[in-house]
Amino acid sequence: MGGLEVRELECFLVLAEELHFGRAGERLYVSQSRVSQLLRSLENRLGARLIDRTNRRVRLTALGERFRAELRPAYDGLKDVVERTRAEARGVQGVLRLGFQGQVSEPVMARIDAFESRFPGCATEISEIPLSDPFGALRRGEVDAAIVLLPVQEPDLVVGPTFSRQQPNIAVSLRHRFAALDSVSAEELAESELIAPAEPAPPYWRDAQTPPRTPSGRPIPRASTITTLQEGITRAAANRGAMLLCRPCAISHGRRDIAFVPVTGLPDSVLGLVWPRAAATARVLAFADVLADA
């Protein structure tokens, strides 16, 4: 291997996908400068430039393209060997119980399939958890881990891989005036009542999903509270308020009587894998690794 470091190879592959040093750093949980340092070290070891970087764009060199094409299958094969060995050592067997708010998106299902292929001795059970109680099933031991909307500020829970960072959408009836718009600004939310998750979801979490005020401080009225995502979608269809939700939920709940309109001026919605700090089983940690790969 000529002294090559696996972290340098991993950094190159992520950067080759993102073509952006900041986003690559986010995926690798390192700073942008650390990404640059790892790339320079790899290029110095190889004696050639793999990536051209200017003020306007980042792109692979011709050699970098060939290196990526040949490195990817070898790297994936090495990871599979390591994961299989780790699974045998940790005993990744039995059943992994996963909770989800709403429906499971296709990319997440793909990672579940990848997990079961990598760990054939472990089956996965999927169950829906109430939108209004994102952490209850975890604390009651009904699921081993859950994919929930961030933020999560619970000291007894661990936030693992985060993903699906996307612009929020608002679900409204076709009779609602927002339905005819290409997008809705955060300030315009003050002009419509929002459907909000009910308790026992913590106040900070409910406010993140249904902001009480616009960025300028105007109050946003609340129409009602709901327990499940499907309940909120139904109320929006009946024109009994509007509901903010993440883009994957909007795609999976496509209906002819509802418009899903992008919202500008709000933080992106982000999903995360969460599990109890005191119950980090080998199955949960192995699934977190597979999810983080994507």
Side-chain angles (χ1 to χ4, degrees):
M1 292 286 285
L4 289 177
E5 297 287 342
V6 173
R7 190 60 167 168
E8 295 172 1
L9 301 177
E10 179 184 25
C11 177
F12 167 74
L13 288 172
V14 171
L15 187 56
E17 292 176 2
E18 295 292 343
L19 295 179
H20 188 283
F21 281 74
R23 290 195 299 269
E26 289 177 3
R27 283 181 54 181
L28 294 166
Y29 301 100
V30 299
S31 66
Q32 183 171 326
S33 61
R34 179 57 175 161
V35 174
S36 298
Q37 182 184 26
L38 288 168
L39 175 63
R40 284 197 304 270
S41 179
L42 176 61
E43 290 178 332
N44 288 339
R45 293 177 193 276
L46 295 176
R49 293 187 62 82
L50 301 174
I51 289 180
D52 285 331
R53 178 183 184 183
T54 67
N55 291 332
R56 294 190 174 185
R57 64 177 179 175
V58 176
R59 65 179 181 180
L60 295 172
T61 64
L63 182 62
E65 289 280 9
R66 292 195 297 273
F67 185 59
R68 177 181 63 172
E70 296 182 16
L71 174 63
R72 171 54 72 183
Y75 179 80
D76 289 343
L78 177 62
K79 282 179 58 179
D80 285 343
V81 170
V82 172
E83 289 299 337
R84 285 195 297 269
T85 304
R86 182 185 297 174
E88 292 179 11
R90 294 190 303 186
V92 182
Q93 305 286 328
V95 176
L96 174 66
R97 300 168 301 164
L98 289 175
F100 292 85
Q101 291 180 304
Q103 292 184 323
V104 185
S105 66
E106 291 183 9
V108 174
M109 280 303 307
R111 300 320 298 166
I112 292 174
D113 290 343
F115 171 75
E116 292 183 337
S117 295
R118 189 175 297 179
F119 306 108
C122 187
T124 305
E125 291 183 355
I126 302 170
S127 59
E128 183 177 1
I129 57 178
L131 183 68
S132 62
D133 191 12
F135 314 126
L138 287 167
R139 288 172 172 149
R140 292 189 296 269
E142 297 169 0
V143 297
D144 302 310
I147 290 180
V148 301
L149 284 162
L150 300 186
V152 176
Q153 300 172 3
E154 311 300 298
D156 61 323
L157 301 180
V158 175
V159 181
T162 61
F163 54 96
S164 192
R165 180 182 297 274
Q166 298 191 41
Q167 183 181 27
N169 279 229
I170 191 164
V172 294
S173 165
L174 295 182
R175 292 172 281 167
H176 196 287
R177 79 169 192 87
F178 287 172
L181 302 179
D182 293 329
S183 65
V184 174
S185 72
E187 289 299 324
E188 290 178 290
L189 296 180
E191 302 167 13
S192 178
E193 294 182 329
L194 291 185
I195 300 166
E199 295 181 345
Y204 78 84
W205 190 88
R206 284 186 283 124
D207 287 349
Q209 313 313 324
T210 312
R213 295 185 178 276
T214 69
S216 69
R218 298 168 63 196
I220 302 175
R222 289 188 174 177
S224 58
T225 57
I226 47 94
T227 300
T228 67
L229 178 62
Q230 190 58 53
E231 183 182 351
I233 293 290
T234 301
R235 291 195 188 182
N239 204 23
R240 296 180 182 176
M243 185 176 182
L244 287 170
L245 71 172
C246 62
R247 179 62 181 164
C249 288
I251 294 173
S252 63
H253 285 84
R255 296 173 48 150
R256 289 180 294 177
D257 55 352
I258 287 183
F260 296 97
V261 186
V263 180
T264 61
L266 289 181
D268 290 345
S269 66
V270 185
L271 295 173
L273 181 69
V274 181
W275 62 86
R277 190 174 299 277
T281 65
R283 292 185 294 271
V284 168
L285 296 178
F287 180 72
D289 287 344
V290 173
L291 192 60
D293 288 345

Short mmCIF file of all heavy atoms in Angstrom, two decimals, residues 238-290:
data_model
loop_
_atom_site.label_atom_id
_atom_site.label_comp_id
_atom_site.label_asym_id
_atom_site.label_seq_id
_atom_site.Cartn_x
_atom_site.Cartn_y
_atom_site.Cartn_z
N ALA A 238 -58.45 18.63 4.29
CA ALA A 238 -59.78 19.18 4.61
C ALA A 238 -59.75 20.69 4.79
O ALA A 238 -60.77 21.29 5.16
CB ALA A 238 -60.32 18.51 5.86
N ASN A 239 -58.60 21.31 4.53
CA ASN A 239 -58.43 22.77 4.65
C ASN A 239 -58.66 23.25 6.08
O ASN A 239 -59.22 24.32 6.31
CB ASN A 239 -59.38 23.51 3.69
CG ASN A 239 -58.84 24.91 3.35
OD1 ASN A 239 -57.64 25.17 3.46
ND2 ASN A 239 -59.74 25.80 2.96
N ARG A 240 -58.18 22.44 7.02
CA ARG A 240 -58.28 22.81 8.44
C ARG A 240 -56.91 23.21 8.99
O ARG A 240 -56.59 22.98 10.15
CB ARG A 240 -58.86 21.66 9.24
CG ARG A 240 -60.29 21.32 8.84
CD ARG A 240 -60.86 20.19 9.66
NE ARG A 240 -62.21 19.86 9.22
CZ ARG A 240 -62.92 18.85 9.72
NH1 ARG A 240 -62.41 18.08 10.67
NH2 ARG A 240 -64.14 18.61 9.26
N GLY A 241 -56.13 23.81 8.14
CA GLY A 241 -54.81 24.26 8.52
C GLY A 241 -53.78 23.77 7.52
O GLY A 241 -54.09 23.00 6.60
N ALA A 242 -52.56 24.25 7.67
CA ALA A 242 -51.44 23.85 6.82
C ALA A 242 -50.41 23.13 7.68
O ALA A 242 -50.31 23.38 8.88
CB ALA A 242 -50.81 25.06 6.15
N MET A 243 -49.64 22.23 7.07
CA MET A 243 -48.70 21.43 7.84
C MET A 243 -47.32 21.45 7.21
O MET A 243 -47.16 21.12 6.03
CB MET A 243 -49.19 19.99 7.96
CG MET A 243 -48.32 19.12 8.85
SD MET A 243 -49.01 17.48 9.05
CE MET A 243 -47.78 16.79 10.19
N LEU A 244 -46.32 21.82 7.99
CA LEU A 244 -44.94 21.75 7.55
C LEU A 244 -44.44 20.31 7.67
O LEU A 244 -44.72 19.63 8.66
CB LEU A 244 -44.05 22.66 8.41
CG LEU A 244 -44.18 24.16 8.16
CD1 LEU A 244 -43.44 24.94 9.25
CD2 LEU A 244 -43.65 24.54 6.80
N LEU A 245 -43.71 19.86 6.68
CA LEU A 245 -43.16 18.52 6.73
C LEU A 245 -41.93 18.44 5.83
O LEU A 245 -41.70 19.31 5.00
CB LEU A 245 -44.20 17.48 6.32
CG LEU A 245 -44.65 17.37 4.86
CD1 LEU A 245 -45.53 16.14 4.71
CD2 LEU A 245 -45.42 18.59 4.40
N CYS A 246 -41.14 17.38 6.05
CA CYS A 246 -39.91 17.23 5.28
C CYS A 246 -40.24 16.78 3.86
O CYS A 246 -41.30 16.21 3.59
CB CYS A 246 -38.96 16.25 5.96
SG CYS A 246 -39.59 14.57 6.13
N ARG A 247 -39.31 16.99 2.94
CA ARG A 247 -39.53 16.68 1.54
C ARG A 247 -39.83 15.20 1.30
O ARG A 247 -40.73 14.87 0.52
CB ARG A 247 -38.32 17.14 0.73
CG ARG A 247 -38.42 16.85 -0.77
CD ARG A 247 -39.59 17.57 -1.40
NE ARG A 247 -39.70 17.28 -2.81
CZ ARG A 247 -40.79 17.52 -3.55
NH1 ARG A 247 -41.85 18.06 -2.99
NH2 ARG A 247 -40.80 17.24 -4.82
N PRO A 248 -39.10 14.24 1.92
CA PRO A 248 -39.44 12.83 1.69
C PRO A 248 -40.87 12.49 2.07
O PRO A 248 -41.52 11.69 1.39
CB PRO A 248 -38.43 12.09 2.58
CG PRO A 248 -37.27 13.01 2.68
CD PRO A 248 -37.87 14.38 2.72
N CYS A 249 -41.37 13.10 3.15
CA CYS A 249 -42.77 12.86 3.54
C CYS A 249 -43.72 13.42 2.48
O CYS A 249 -44.75 12.81 2.17
CB CYS A 249 -43.06 13.50 4.89
SG CYS A 249 -42.31 12.64 6.28
N ALA A 250 -43.39 14.58 1.93
CA ALA A 250 -44.24 15.17 0.91
C ALA A 250 -44.31 14.26 -0.32
O ALA A 250 -45.37 14.05 -0.90
CB ALA A 250 -43.71 16.54 0.51
N ILE A 251 -43.17 13.68 -0.70
CA ILE A 251 -43.14 12.80 -1.86
C ILE A 251 -43.95 11.54 -1.61
O ILE A 251 -44.73 11.09 -2.46
CB ILE A 251 -41.68 12.45 -2.22
CG1 ILE A 251 -40.93 13.71 -2.69
CG2 ILE A 251 -41.63 11.36 -3.28
CD1 ILE A 251 -39.45 13.49 -2.90
N SER A 252 -43.79 10.97 -0.41
CA SER A 252 -44.46 9.69 -0.12
C SER A 252 -45.95 9.85 0.12
O SER A 252 -46.69 8.88 0.04
CB SER A 252 -43.80 9.03 1.10
OG SER A 252 -43.95 9.83 2.25
N HIS A 253 -46.40 11.07 0.43
CA HIS A 253 -47.82 11.29 0.70
C HIS A 253 -48.49 12.06 -0.43
O HIS A 253 -49.44 12.81 -0.20
CB HIS A 253 -48.01 12.05 2.02
CG HIS A 253 -47.78 11.20 3.23
ND1 HIS A 253 -46.52 10.97 3.74
CD2 HIS A 253 -48.64 10.51 4.02
CE1 HIS A 253 -46.62 10.18 4.81
NE2 HIS A 253 -47.89 9.89 4.99
N GLY A 254 -48.01 11.91 -1.64
CA GLY A 254 -48.62 12.61 -2.76
C GLY A 254 -50.10 12.29 -2.90
O GLY A 254 -50.50 11.13 -2.94
N ARG A 255 -50.92 13.32 -2.93
CA ARG A 255 -52.37 13.17 -3.06
C ARG A 255 -52.88 14.21 -4.03
O ARG A 255 -52.34 15.31 -4.13
CB ARG A 255 -53.07 13.34 -1.70
CG ARG A 255 -52.72 12.31 -0.68
CD ARG A 255 -53.30 12.62 0.69
NE ARG A 255 -54.71 12.99 0.66
CZ ARG A 255 -55.57 12.76 1.66
NH1 ARG A 255 -55.14 12.13 2.74
NH2 ARG A 255 -56.81 13.15 1.58
N ARG A 256 -53.98 13.88 -4.70
CA ARG A 256 -54.55 14.81 -5.68
C ARG A 256 -55.26 15.99 -5.03
O ARG A 256 -55.48 17.01 -5.67
CB ARG A 256 -55.51 14.07 -6.62
CG ARG A 256 -54.81 13.14 -7.59
CD ARG A 256 -55.79 12.43 -8.48
NE ARG A 256 -56.65 11.52 -7.72
CZ ARG A 256 -57.63 10.81 -8.23
NH1 ARG A 256 -57.89 10.90 -9.53
NH2 ARG A 256 -58.35 10.00 -7.49
N ASP A 257 -55.62 15.86 -3.74
CA ASP A 257 -56.35 16.94 -3.07
C ASP A 257 -55.44 17.81 -2.20
O ASP A 257 -55.92 18.64 -1.44
CB ASP A 257 -57.49 16.38 -2.23
CG ASP A 257 -57.01 15.33 -1.21
OD1 ASP A 257 -55.83 14.94 -1.27
OD2 ASP A 257 -57.82 14.91 -0.37
N ILE A 258 -54.13 17.63 -2.32
CA ILE A 258 -53.18 18.39 -1.52
C ILE A 258 -52.07 18.93 -2.41
O ILE A 258 -51.62 18.25 -3.35
CB ILE A 258 -52.55 17.53 -0.40
CG1 ILE A 258 -53.58 17.27 0.71
CG2 ILE A 258 -51.33 18.20 0.22
CD1 ILE A 258 -53.02 16.49 1.87
N ALA A 259 -51.64 20.15 -2.14
CA ALA A 259 -50.46 20.73 -2.78
C ALA A 259 -49.32 20.76 -1.77
O ALA A 259 -49.53 21.11 -0.59
CB ALA A 259 -50.76 22.13 -3.29
N PHE A 260 -48.14 20.38 -2.21
CA PHE A 260 -46.95 20.45 -1.37
C PHE A 260 -46.07 21.54 -1.93
O PHE A 260 -45.54 21.42 -3.04
CB PHE A 260 -46.22 19.11 -1.35
CG PHE A 260 -47.02 18.00 -0.73
CD1 PHE A 260 -47.75 17.12 -1.51
CD2 PHE A 260 -47.06 17.86 0.65
CE1 PHE A 260 -48.49 16.11 -0.94
CE2 PHE A 260 -47.80 16.84 1.23
CZ PHE A 260 -48.52 15.96 0.44
N VAL A 261 -45.90 22.62 -1.17
CA VAL A 261 -45.24 23.82 -1.66
C VAL A 261 -43.93 24.04 -0.89
O VAL A 261 -43.94 24.02 0.35
CB VAL A 261 -46.15 25.06 -1.50
CG1 VAL A 261 -45.51 26.29 -2.14
CG2 VAL A 261 -47.53 24.79 -2.11
N PRO A 262 -42.80 24.24 -1.57
CA PRO A 262 -41.54 24.51 -0.86
C PRO A 262 -41.63 25.79 -0.04
O PRO A 262 -42.28 26.76 -0.43
CB PRO A 262 -40.52 24.65 -2.00
CG PRO A 262 -41.15 23.99 -3.18
CD PRO A 262 -42.62 24.19 -3.03
N VAL A 263 -40.94 25.78 1.11
CA VAL A 263 -40.93 26.94 2.01
C VAL A 263 -39.51 27.48 2.08
O VAL A 263 -38.56 26.73 2.37
CB VAL A 263 -41.42 26.58 3.42
CG1 VAL A 263 -41.38 27.79 4.34
CG2 VAL A 263 -42.84 26.00 3.37
N THR A 264 -39.35 28.77 1.81
CA THR A 264 -38.04 29.42 1.88
C THR A 264 -37.89 30.17 3.20
O THR A 264 -38.87 30.59 3.80
CB THR A 264 -37.85 30.40 0.72
OG1 THR A 264 -38.85 31.43 0.81
CG2 THR A 264 -38.00 29.69 -0.62
N GLY A 265 -36.66 30.32 3.66
CA GLY A 265 -36.40 31.12 4.85
C GLY A 265 -36.45 30.36 6.15
O GLY A 265 -36.29 30.95 7.22
N LEU A 266 -36.65 29.04 6.10
CA LEU A 266 -36.62 28.20 7.29
C LEU A 266 -35.42 27.26 7.23
O LEU A 266 -34.93 26.94 6.14
CB LEU A 266 -37.90 27.36 7.40
CG LEU A 266 -39.21 28.06 7.74
CD1 LEU A 266 -40.34 27.04 7.82
CD2 LEU A 266 -39.10 28.83 9.05
N PRO A 267 -34.94 26.79 8.39
CA PRO A 267 -33.85 25.80 8.35
C PRO A 267 -34.29 24.54 7.62
O PRO A 267 -35.48 24.20 7.59
CB PRO A 267 -33.59 25.52 9.84
CG PRO A 267 -34.15 26.70 10.57
CD PRO A 267 -35.31 27.18 9.76
N ASP A 268 -33.33 23.86 7.00
CA ASP A 268 -33.63 22.60 6.34
C ASP A 268 -34.13 21.58 7.35
O ASP A 268 -33.74 21.59 8.52
CB ASP A 268 -32.38 22.04 5.66
CG ASP A 268 -31.97 22.85 4.44
OD1 ASP A 268 -32.78 23.65 3.96
OD2 ASP A 268 -30.82 22.68 3.99
N SER A 269 -34.98 20.68 6.89
CA SER A 269 -35.37 19.54 7.72
C SER A 269 -34.27 18.48 7.61
O SER A 269 -33.69 18.28 6.56
CB SER A 269 -36.71 18.97 7.27
OG SER A 269 -36.61 18.42 5.97
N VAL A 270 -33.99 17.83 8.74
CA VAL A 270 -32.92 16.82 8.79
C VAL A 270 -33.43 15.63 9.59
O VAL A 270 -34.07 15.79 10.63
CB VAL A 270 -31.65 17.38 9.46
CG1 VAL A 270 -30.52 16.35 9.40
CG2 VAL A 270 -31.21 18.68 8.81
N LEU A 271 -33.12 14.43 9.11
CA LEU A 271 -33.45 13.21 9.82
C LEU A 271 -32.20 12.66 10.49
O LEU A 271 -31.08 12.89 10.03
CB LEU A 271 -34.01 12.16 8.86
CG LEU A 271 -35.35 12.49 8.19
CD1 LEU A 271 -35.67 11.44 7.14
CD2 LEU A 271 -36.46 12.59 9.22
N GLY A 272 -32.41 11.93 11.58
CA GLY A 272 -31.28 11.33 12.28
C GLY A 272 -31.65 10.01 12.91
O GLY A 272 -32.81 9.78 13.26
N LEU A 273 -30.66 9.12 13.01
CA LEU A 273 -30.85 7.85 13.72
C LEU A 273 -30.53 8.08 15.19
O LEU A 273 -29.46 8.59 15.52
CB LEU A 273 -29.94 6.78 13.13
CG LEU A 273 -30.06 5.39 13.77
CD1 LEU A 273 -31.40 4.76 13.44
CD2 LEU A 273 -28.91 4.48 13.33
N VAL A 274 -31.46 7.68 16.05
CA VAL A 274 -31.33 7.95 17.49
C VAL A 274 -31.53 6.65 18.26
O VAL A 274 -32.36 5.82 17.87
CB VAL A 274 -32.39 8.99 17.93
CG1 VAL A 274 -32.26 9.30 19.42
CG2 VAL A 274 -32.26 10.27 17.11
N TRP A 275 -30.77 6.48 19.35
CA TRP A 275 -30.96 5.31 20.20
C TRP A 275 -30.61 5.66 21.64
O TRP A 275 -29.91 6.65 21.90
CB TRP A 275 -30.10 4.14 19.71
CG TRP A 275 -28.61 4.37 19.73
CD1 TRP A 275 -27.76 4.18 20.77
CD2 TRP A 275 -27.79 4.84 18.63
NE1 TRP A 275 -26.47 4.50 20.40
CE2 TRP A 275 -26.47 4.89 19.10
CE3 TRP A 275 -28.08 5.20 17.30
CZ2 TRP A 275 -25.42 5.31 18.28
CZ3 TRP A 275 -27.03 5.60 16.50
CH2 TRP A 275 -25.72 5.66 16.98
N PRO A 276 -31.11 4.88 22.61
CA PRO A 276 -30.82 5.16 24.02
C PRO A 276 -29.34 5.01 24.33
O PRO A 276 -28.70 4.05 23.91
CB PRO A 276 -31.65 4.11 24.77
CG PRO A 276 -32.71 3.69 23.80
CD PRO A 276 -32.07 3.78 22.45
N ARG A 277 -28.81 5.95 25.07
CA ARG A 277 -27.38 5.93 25.40
C ARG A 277 -27.01 4.66 26.16
O ARG A 277 -25.90 4.13 25.99
CB ARG A 277 -27.04 7.17 26.23
CG ARG A 277 -25.56 7.40 26.44
CD ARG A 277 -25.31 8.72 27.16
NE ARG A 277 -25.81 9.85 26.38
CZ ARG A 277 -25.15 10.43 25.39
NH1 ARG A 277 -23.94 9.98 25.04
NH2 ARG A 277 -25.66 11.45 24.74
N ALA A 278 -27.92 4.18 26.98
CA ALA A 278 -27.62 3.01 27.81
C ALA A 278 -27.91 1.69 27.10
O ALA A 278 -27.75 0.63 27.70
CB ALA A 278 -28.44 3.08 29.11
N ALA A 279 -28.34 1.75 25.85
CA ALA A 279 -28.70 0.52 25.14
C ALA A 279 -28.13 0.51 23.73
O ALA A 279 -28.83 0.22 22.76
CB ALA A 279 -30.22 0.35 25.11
N ALA A 280 -26.86 0.81 23.61
CA ALA A 280 -26.20 0.82 22.30
C ALA A 280 -25.75 -0.60 21.96
O ALA A 280 -24.61 -0.99 22.21
CB ALA A 280 -25.01 1.78 22.31
N THR A 281 -26.66 -1.39 21.40
CA THR A 281 -26.35 -2.79 21.10
C THR A 281 -25.48 -2.89 19.85
O THR A 281 -25.35 -1.95 19.06
CB THR A 281 -27.65 -3.57 20.85
OG1 THR A 281 -28.29 -3.07 19.67
CG2 THR A 281 -28.60 -3.44 22.04
N ALA A 282 -24.91 -4.07 19.65
CA ALA A 282 -24.10 -4.31 18.45
C ALA A 282 -24.94 -4.15 17.20
O ALA A 282 -24.46 -3.66 16.18
CB ALA A 282 -23.50 -5.72 18.52
N ARG A 283 -26.21 -4.55 17.26
CA ARG A 283 -27.08 -4.41 16.09
C ARG A 283 -27.29 -2.95 15.73
O ARG A 283 -27.24 -2.56 14.56
CB ARG A 283 -28.44 -5.09 16.37
CG ARG A 283 -28.36 -6.60 16.48
CD ARG A 283 -29.74 -7.21 16.64
NE ARG A 283 -30.37 -6.84 17.91
CZ ARG A 283 -30.22 -7.52 19.03
NH1 ARG A 283 -29.46 -8.60 19.04
NH2 ARG A 283 -30.83 -7.14 20.14
N VAL A 284 -27.54 -2.12 16.74
CA VAL A 284 -27.77 -0.69 16.49
C VAL A 284 -26.52 -0.05 15.91
O VAL A 284 -26.59 0.71 14.94
CB VAL A 284 -28.20 0.02 17.79
CG1 VAL A 284 -28.17 1.53 17.61
CG2 VAL A 284 -29.60 -0.43 18.20
N LEU A 285 -25.37 -0.33 16.50
CA LEU A 285 -24.13 0.29 16.04
C LEU A 285 -23.78 -0.17 14.62
O LEU A 285 -23.29 0.61 13.81
CB LEU A 285 -22.99 -0.04 17.00
CG LEU A 285 -23.15 0.51 18.42
CD1 LEU A 285 -21.97 0.09 19.29
CD2 LEU A 285 -23.28 2.03 18.41
N ALA A 286 -24.06 -1.43 14.32
CA ALA A 286 -23.80 -1.93 12.97
C ALA A 286 -24.71 -1.25 11.96
O ALA A 286 -24.27 -0.88 10.86
CB ALA A 286 -23.98 -3.44 12.93
N PHE A 287 -25.98 -1.07 12.32
CA PHE A 287 -26.89 -0.39 11.40
C PHE A 287 -26.49 1.07 11.22
O PHE A 287 -26.57 1.62 10.12
CB PHE A 287 -28.33 -0.47 11.90
CG PHE A 287 -29.32 0.20 10.98
CD1 PHE A 287 -29.64 -0.36 9.75
CD2 PHE A 287 -29.91 1.41 11.32
CE1 PHE A 287 -30.52 0.26 8.89
CE2 PHE A 287 -30.78 2.04 10.46
CZ PHE A 287 -31.11 1.47 9.25
N ALA A 288 -26.04 1.71 12.30
CA ALA A 288 -25.58 3.10 12.20
C ALA A 288 -24.41 3.21 11.22
O ALA A 288 -24.34 4.16 10.44
CB ALA A 288 -25.18 3.62 13.58
N ASP A 289 -23.52 2.25 11.24
CA ASP A 289 -22.39 2.25 10.31
C ASP A 289 -22.87 2.14 8.87
O ASP A 289 -22.39 2.85 7.97
CB ASP A 289 -21.45 1.09 10.61
CG ASP A 289 -20.63 1.31 11.87
OD1 ASP A 289 -20.57 2.47 12.35
OD2 ASP A 289 -20.06 0.32 12.40
N VAL A 290 -23.83 1.25 8.63
CA VAL A 290 -24.35 1.07 7.26
C VAL A 290 -25.08 2.32 6.80
O VAL A 290 -24.94 2.77 5.65
CB VAL A 290 -25.29 -0.15 7.20
CG1 VAL A 290 -25.97 -0.25 5.83
CG2 VAL A 290 -24.49 -1.43 7.48
#
